[in-house]
Amino acid sequence: MHRQPVLEFWYEFASTYSYLTAMRIEAAAEAAGVELVWRPFLLGPIFKAQGWETTPFSLYPAKGRYMWRDMEREAARLGLPFYRPEAFPQNGLIAARVALLGSDRGWTPAFTRAVYTAQFAQGRDIASPQTVTDILTALGLDAESVLTEAGAETNKMRLRRMNEEVQSRGLFGAPTFFAEDGEMFWGNDRLEQALDWAVAQARRGQAPA
Amino acid sequence: MHRQPVLEFWYEFASTYSYLTAMRIEAAAEAAGVELVWRPFLLGPIFKAQGWETTPFSLYPAKGRYMWRDMEREAARLGLPFYRPEAFPQNGLIAARVALLGSDRGWTPAFTRAVYTAQFAQGRDIASPQTVTDILTALGLDAESVLTEAGAETNKMRLRRMNEEVQSRGLFGAPTFFAEDGEMFWGNDRLEQALDWAVAQARRGQAPA
């Protein structure tokens, strides 16, 4: 029997293309027989290291205009609702801290999809603690205690360390995928190639145990 | 009978992802029943307008390192040879002027593929008049007279005007595709969507005559 392939999925909550991936990756990974590791992170510090104070979609208007149009088309092609939020990029810090906390508890995928849906299908403000509270409550969780724990120093530091660590592995945008051998794929357009790579790598048995 | 759909294909000779498209677009367009318009242009002035003195792959090293790896993988996936040129980006000015001249004479697709092959499969310097001369000669053309005509004021100005015109239509990178209704698609990853759009648009008969 083969070992099950594993793929890391790194996403930023404000990232439009990460939304497309988050909504379809679970079905795609299941079909490919790949186990997913969901990894929320923050693009802000990554962009700052490249000299950008905000997203390139704001810094370069022609690229930004195209992105919104491309998102409309790609969301339609993938059968996903898409609403352009009034504010962009939104601050995904609280959501990222909560998603990280949930990663040891099994509810991160559902929480992540709910946050993206609130932002890009319902036009809600994900920086607002109320939005996050509503989502946690709908998932049957104790929102107040989760938010307190997510905002505690341990969890905040863990998110920061993971951000620094993944930056040192070459990540520069979102979504980004890593196979177990460190092979990196960037963008919703590379999800299929990333899954294929993870499967082929596990078959070769070259991954560290 | 339906009118045949038309798609404009805008490419820069130094662009790695334009190479992937140039080598596969003719077969893809034929399969889709789409007529192609080949449009060489220069990314330099487009990048300068965004405040970049060179390609973002040089300005942002993490993005550049990823691009070379992604090119290796994507070229392999598409069955294309790929050689990373010693110098990047190369100056595609002469090649672009020649390709524009050929666009009324029917040899631009063959010339374009030969220039990309010289650069990305054979590691040759496409800025060199000798490389362009060799390619034109192999195509059975009078290289000296083509190069003279390509470098004449009329052709130089035509390239400059077309560059300004396409920039005003929203183009910000390469490769870029335009359907007849002005719908724009960016990147080798969007070739299939661009062809689909052109076909659907022609079926609706909404294109200007």
Side-chain angles (χ1 to χ4, degrees):
Chain A
M1 215 180 78
H2 295 302
R3 226 168 33 77
Q4 185 173 26
V6 178
L7 190 69
E8 292 175 28
F9 164 40
W10 291 79
Y11 55 96
E12 146 75 50
F13 277 106
S15 156
T16 49
Y17 289 103
S18 294
Y19 160 61
L20 298 183
T21 303
M23 304 308 281
R24 72 193 190 93
I25 193 170
E26 208 152 69
E30 195 182 325
V34 171
E35 183 187 333
L36 289 175
V37 180
W38 293 62
R39 289 279 179 249
F41 77 103
L42 300 173
L43 265 178
I46 311 280
F47 283 166
K48 276 207 176 64
Q50 298 181 57
W52 298 336
E53 287 304 312
T54 181
T55 164
F57 297 128
S58 299
L59 293 171
Y60 307 108
K63 202 178 168 90
R65 278 189 296 274
Y66 173 77
M67 181 275 285
W68 292 113
R69 181 62 182 143
D70 191 50
M71 275 297 297
E72 282 179 10
R73 292 188 311 229
E74 289 294 292
R77 190 172 67 81
L78 298 168
L80 293 170
F82 180 69
Y83 176 94
R84 177 174 169 172
E86 284 180 37
F88 180 83
Q90 293 197 13
N91 187 330
L93 178 61
I94 295 175
R97 286 176 180 164
V98 169
L100 178 60
L101 190 73
S103 64
D104 304 322
R105 306 175 187 191
W107 46 260
T108 292
F111 173 78
T112 298
R113 283 188 294 267
V115 172
Y116 280 121
T117 298
Q119 182 181 198
F120 293 120
Q122 298 164 349
R124 296 189 66 185
D125 174 13
I126 63 161
S128 147
Q130 189 56 55
T131 304
V132 177
T133 295
D134 292 349
I135 290 169
L136 289 169
T137 305
L139 291 173
L141 297 162
D142 179 344
E144 197 183 325
S145 103
V146 166
L147 279 169
T148 303
E149 210 177 336
E153 205 56 32
T154 315
N155 193 59
K156 284 160 67 173
M157 285 305 298
R158 186 180 172 202
L159 183 64
R160 197 175 305 168
R161 277 197 313 273
M162 288 178 68
N163 235 72
E164 290 166 359
E165 191 263 340
V166 79
Q167 185 170 9
S168 75
R169 288 159 70 191
L171 177 148
F172 59 91
T176 292
F177 314 98
F178 288 97
E180 288 173 280
D181 60 356
E183 191 75 15
M184 183 175 84
F185 296 82
W186 170 55
N188 179 56
D189 293 325
R190 288 289 176 277
L191 172 58
E192 282 69 26
Q193 285 93 322
L195 290 168
D196 287 350
W197 187 280
V199 169
Q201 191 211 358
R203 286 216 181 106
R204 286 192 307 266
Q206 293 174 345
Chain B
M1 217 180 77
H2 295 302
R3 226 170 34 78
Q4 186 173 24
V6 179
L7 190 70
E8 293 175 27
F9 164 39
W10 291 80
Y11 55 96
E12 146 76 51
F13 277 106
S15 155
T16 49
Y17 289 103
S18 294
Y19 159 61
L20 298 182
T21 302
M23 304 308 281
R24 73 193 191 93
I25 193 171
E26 208 152 69
E30 195 181 328
V34 171
E35 183 187 333
L36 289 175
V37 180
W38 292 62
R39 289 280 180 250
F41 77 103
L42 300 173
L43 265 178
I46 311 280
F47 283 166
K48 277 207 176 65
Q50 297 181 56
W52 299 335
E53 287 305 312
T54 181
T55 165
F57 296 128
S58 298
L59 294 172
Y60 306 108
K63 203 179 167 91
R65 278 189 297 272
Y66 173 77
M67 181 275 284
W68 292 113
R69 181 63 182 142
D70 191 51
M71 275 298 297
E72 282 179 9
R73 292 188 310 230
E74 288 294 292
R77 191 173 67 83
L78 298 168
L80 293 169
F82 181 68
Y83 175 93
R84 177 174 170 172
E86 283 181 39
F88 180 83
Q90 293 197 13
N91 187 330
L93 178 61
I94 296 175
R97 286 175 178 163
V98 169
L100 178 59
L101 190 73
S103 64
D104 305 323
R105 305 173 189 192
W107 46 260
T108 292
F111 173 77
T112 298
R113 284 188 293 267
V115 173
Y116 279 122
T117 298
Q119 183 182 198
F120 292 120
Q122 297 163 350
R124 296 188 66 185
D125 174 14
I126 63 161
S128 147
Q130 188 56 54
T131 303
V132 177
T133 295
D134 292 348
I135 290 169
L136 289 169
T137 305
L139 291 173
L141 296 163
D142 179 344
E144 196 181 326
S145 103
V146 167
L147 279 169
T148 302
E149 210 177 336
E153 205 55 33
T154 315
N155 193 58
K156 283 161 67 172
M157 285 306 297
R158 186 180 172 203
L159 184 63
R160 197 175 307 169
R161 276 199 313 272
M162 289 179 69
N163 235 70
E164 290 166 359
E165 190 262 341
V166 80
Q167 185 169 10
S168 75
R169 289 159 70 191
L171 176 146
F172 59 91
T176 292
F177 314 98
F178 287 97
E180 288 173 279
D181 61 357
E183 190 75 15
M184 184 175 84
F185 296 82
W186 170 55
N188 179 56
D189 293 325
R190 288 290 177 277
L191 172 58
E192 282 69 25
Q193 284 93 322
L195 289 168
D196 286 350
W197 187 279
V199 169
Q201 191 210 358
R203 285 216 181 107
R204 287 193 306 267
Q206 293 173 345

